[in-house]
Amino acid sequence: MKKLWVPLLIIAGMLLASPAFADPPIFTWILVADQFSEAKSVYAVDLDGDTDVDVLGASAGNNEIAWWENDGSQNFTKHSVDSNCKQAQSAYAIDLDVDGDIDIVGACQGDNEIAWWENDGHQKFTRHSVDSSFEGDKAQSVYATDMDGDGDIDILGASKGDNEIAWWENDGSQNFTKHTVDSNFKQALSVYAIDLDGDGDVDIVGASQGDNEIAWWENDGSQNFTKHSVDSRFKKAQSVYAIDMDGDGDTDILGASEGDNEIAWWENDGSQNFTKHTVASDFRKAQSVYAIDLEPDGDVDIVAAARQDNEIAWWENDGSQQFSKRSVDTGFSEPQSVYSADVNGDGDVDILGASAARDEIALWENSGGGTTAIELVSFAARPTAAPSTPGGLILEWQWSVVVGLCVLSSVALCAGLRRSRVR
């Protein structure tokens, strides 16, 4: 048996030395929060200004907006921001009043409300209502950016009950005036804002569950918005995001479809004509999508959550927008939201998820690469995935490596290994 390991070690050394067999990242599961009932939303930002990245979440069951303080070693301490944000659906963080600390904006579905929480600089938060008549019992999604280019931060929202996309203009003193962008965008679930057409002003993208639609609204520079449909056959559209996916200098759009079990992106030709590319069509009840250079290798990868598959996954971009799926966790029950950021400050990008069924916020820490020459085993180190016998997982991993190396060596060698294993 000793002789058999000699060629195996030689082959392993050759593979490890070859950049063609560079490993994709391996992710390690870290619990951020449990008992966060019906966790709906997750976001990450340095909320307390100590240079490490904290976690922000919304809980529909707890009626709560909360944040978890990172001690710099990914040990998280919960701080409740508001436990009376009824059926909280979404939370986002930004310096809304431009005083140097990070504030929070949120959607309280049960209150028909968009609200923001002012940070006093010591992470004591005071709630301010932006709009308490965002009606239909379905305030669903929130985002914030400077929409009108006047130097202060405005707020955007999507209302499932009102079938509405709206934005609230900040006068610079955090008095907000509502502007309806679209009141016929049925069961609006998701909203995002970015300069989509490269003309210097901020446009809006949205996802409509009722219209099965991904759309964008063109800003004329005076905040008059013209709707353009990107795709009206994207069944039960749940989530939307926009970024330059193909590195050609214009902004593309991504979406998650619950009805089509689909993750897709729409390529912008530079004149805002969009061509659909399906990334996955078997990601059951896809809920949330985000994009970032996860490895990083200079191109943009995709991260997403699927409710029926109980899965967090990412798709590796080969640089030509050919995507290979990598499962991160298949035991994360009914994930509702996914986000990605460098939480541990090691230079690579980690993944966060919110699970409604597990009442959980979790972090998957990116190792920056695996330990084997080929990705033969891919798993997240969750307690629920522990082997039934001590050392079982290690033995299985070792045998997988042997089998993988056999494929690259000889039939005779593999046969010899098989005989040795049977004994």
Side-chain angles (χ1 to χ4, degrees):
M1 185 63 186
K2 288 182 180 178
K3 292 180 180 179
L4 293 172
W5 283 105
V6 174
L8 286 175
L9 290 172
I10 293 171
I11 295 168
M14 292 170 61
L15 290 171
L16 286 167
S18 172
F21 289 91
D23 285 343
I26 289 176
F27 292 90
T28 303
W29 174 84
I30 297 173
L31 179 66
V32 175
D34 56 6
Q35 300 180 10
F36 198 56
S37 178
E38 294 181 58
K40 290 287 188 177
S41 172
V42 67
Y43 186 67
V45 68
D46 181 6
L47 209 86
D48 51 8
D50 63 355
T51 72
D52 52 49
V53 176
D54 309 298
V55 177
L56 176 68
S59 159
N62 288 354
N63 302 314
E64 187 173 18
I65 302 291
W67 73 284
W68 291 265
E69 182 179 0
N70 186 352
D71 70 353
S73 300
Q74 290 63 254
N75 301 303
F76 294 94
T77 302
K78 180 182 176 182
H79 302 277
S80 184
V81 174
D82 194 328
S83 58
N84 197 33
C85 176
K86 293 179 183 176
Q87 298 176 39
Q89 295 292 309
S90 177
Y92 183 71
I94 193 169
D95 185 0
L96 196 70
D97 50 10
V98 199
D99 63 353
D101 50 49
I102 301 295
D103 310 295
I104 297 168
V105 291
C108 306
Q109 185 181 96
D111 294 324
N112 305 319
E113 187 173 16
I114 300 295
W116 75 284
W117 291 263
E118 182 180 2
N119 186 348
D120 70 352
H122 302 285
Q123 292 64 253
K124 303 294 183 185
F125 291 93
T126 302
R127 179 172 174 169
H128 302 276
S129 182
V130 175
D131 192 330
S132 58
S133 60
F134 204 45
E135 295 176 356
D137 192 31
K138 298 291 182 182
Q140 196 74 26
S141 175
V142 69
Y143 186 68
T145 190
D146 183 1
M147 287 297 301
D148 49 10
D150 62 356
D152 50 49
I153 303 297
D154 309 297
I155 296 174
L156 297 100
S159 167
K160 183 178 178 181
D162 277 344
N163 305 316
E164 188 173 9
I165 299 292
W167 73 284
W168 290 264
E169 181 181 0
N170 186 349
D171 69 355
S173 299
Q174 292 64 253
N175 301 303
F176 292 93
T177 302
K178 180 181 177 181
H179 301 277
T180 295
V181 175
D182 195 324
S183 59
N184 195 33
F185 198 53
K186 293 179 183 176
Q187 297 179 29
L189 291 187
S190 180
V191 66
Y192 185 68
I194 193 170
D195 183 3
L196 197 72
D197 51 10
D199 62 355
D201 50 49
V202 178
D203 309 297
I204 298 171
V205 289
S208 159
Q209 178 176 268
D211 286 333
N212 305 313
E213 187 171 19
I214 300 293
W216 75 284
W217 291 264
E218 182 180 2
N219 187 347
D220 69 355
S222 300
Q223 293 63 253
N224 300 303
F225 292 93
T226 302
K227 180 183 175 183
H228 303 275
S229 183
V230 175
D231 193 327
S232 59
R233 294 185 294 178
F234 198 56
K235 292 180 183 177
K236 293 187 178 180
Q238 298 290 305
S239 175
V240 69
Y241 187 65
I243 193 173
D244 183 0
M245 287 296 302
D246 49 10
D248 63 355
D250 50 49
T251 300
D252 309 297
I253 297 174
L254 296 100
S257 159
E258 181 177 279
D260 288 329
N261 304 315
E262 188 171 8
I263 300 297
W265 72 285
W266 291 265
E267 182 179 0
N268 186 349
D269 69 354
S271 299
Q272 292 64 253
N273 301 304
F274 290 93
T275 302
K276 181 180 178 182
H277 302 277
T278 295
V279 176
S281 57
D282 58 352
F283 201 53
R284 294 183 298 172
K285 293 194 175 179
Q287 294 294 298
S288 180
V289 67
Y290 188 69
I292 195 169
D293 186 359
L294 198 71
E295 296 164 283
D297 60 357
D299 49 51
V300 178
D301 309 298
I302 297 172
V303 187
R307 184 160 61 89
Q308 187 172 334
D309 283 338
N310 303 316
E311 186 172 14
I312 301 291
W314 71 285
W315 285 262
E316 182 180 1
N317 186 348
D318 70 353
S320 301
Q321 291 64 251
Q322 303 297 319
F323 292 92
S324 300
K325 182 182 177 184
R326 315 284 186 186
S327 186
V328 176
D329 197 324
T330 57
F332 196 58
S333 304
E334 297 184 20
Q336 298 290 308
S337 176
V338 70
Y339 187 70
S340 196
D342 183 4
V343 176
N344 60 355
D346 64 352
D348 50 47
V349 179
D350 311 298
I351 296 173
L352 292 129
S355 163
R358 292 182 69 96
D359 304 328
E360 185 174 293
I361 301 286
L363 165 70
W364 291 268
E365 188 175 8
N366 185 345
S367 70
T371 56
T372 60
I374 330 169
E375 188 194 21
L376 297 169
V377 179
S378 178
F379 61 90
R382 295 177 57 83
T384 53
S388 57
T389 57
L393 186 59
I394 296 172
L395 290 173
E396 182 181 0
W397 176 84
Q398 288 176 338
W399 182 248
S400 297
V401 172
V402 170
V403 172
L405 292 172
C406 280
V407 173
L408 298 173
S409 55
S410 68
V411 175
L413 177 59
C414 291
L417 280 171
R418 182 171 179 174
R419 286 196 298 272
S420 298
R421 186 174 185 245
V422 170
R423 290 177 194 146

